[in-house]
Amino acid sequence: MADLIITIDGPAASGKSTVARLLAEKLDASFLDTGAMYRAVTLAAMQAGVDLNDELKLLDIARECEFQFSAGAGKTIICIDNVDVTERIREPEVTANARHIAGVPEVRDELVQMQRQFAADTQRVVTEGRDQGTVVFGDADVKFFLTAEAGERARRRQADLGGKDSNQSLEQIQRAIEERDKSDESRAVGPLKPADDAIVVDTTDLSIDEVVGKLLALVKERCLKSK
Ligand code: C5P
C-alpha cells in the first residue's frame, strides 16, 4: 500500500478534483479521480443500452468493460475499451445517471477494489470522491472534506462547462447539484459524509490556490515530518 494516502471527499462541484490534482503535483503523488470511474461505468451502461435499474447488468458492465485511467495535461484521461471518453463522461446526462451505478453495492465493491489496487501500486496518492475517507481508505494519513455553498458550486460548475451546455441556466445547474447531493447523502452504501477524523474545509470564499495551500500546510504539519 502507498506510504502516503490523502483523501478528499465532498459534494458535487466543491472543487475536489482540481484541488486533489494540484495537491498531488505538489506532493509528487498520483492522483485518483474516483468520480470518473463511476461516470465511466455509467457511460458504458448507457452505450450498451442497459436498463439502469438492472443491478446484475450494471455489475456485468463494471466487470467486463476495460477501463483505462491515465494522467493527462491537467486532467485524467479515461478510455473504455481503448476509446477516449474523457469529455463524454462529463455530459449532463451521464452526470445525472451516475446515481444508478453509485447505488449498487456490488458495483461499488468492484470499484473500491480497483481504487485500493491503484493505491497499492503507487507510493503516494491523493484520491477524491465521496467515500474515500469513510470506506475505501479508513487508515488514510490525512482526510479532508471540502464543502462550499450550493450557489457558489453552481457558479463553478457553470464556469467549468464553459458554455458547452448553454441550455442550462445557473438555477438549473444548482438544482441538479442539490439533487445529486441529496442522492449521494441518502445512499445506503458509501454515502457522502465526512469521516469522523476528516478535516472539514469550507471553500466558498477561497481561491483554488488558497485551498491547495491550506491543505498542503496541513499535510506537511501532520505527516510529512515523520515520512
Ligand atoms: O465527483 P463526480 O461528480 O465526478 O462523481 C460523479 C458521481 O459518482 C457522484 O455524484 C456520485 O454519485 C458517484 N461517486 C460515488 N463515489 C465516489 C465518487 C463518485 O458514489 N467515490
Side-chain angles (χ1 to χ4, degrees), residues 12 16 33-36 38-39 90 98-99 102 108 115 128-132 157 180 184 187 190:
K16 301 182 302 293
D33 173 355
T34 63
Y38 287 88
R39 288 170 179 273
R90 304 284 158 198
R99 69 188 169 85
R108 296 197 75 85
Q115 291 156 18
E128 62 97 346
R130 305 292 188 287
D131 57 349
Q132 300 298 286
R157 180 49 50 92
R180 208 142 64 91
D184 282 336
R187 175 169 66 225

Side-chain angles (χ1 to χ4, degrees), residues 18-37:
T18 311
V19 167
R21 184 171 47 75
L22 294 172
L23 184 65
E25 270 173 31
K26 298 214 181 277
L27 291 169
D28 199 17
S30 303
F31 158 55
L32 182 59
D33 173 355
T34 63
M37 301 173 90

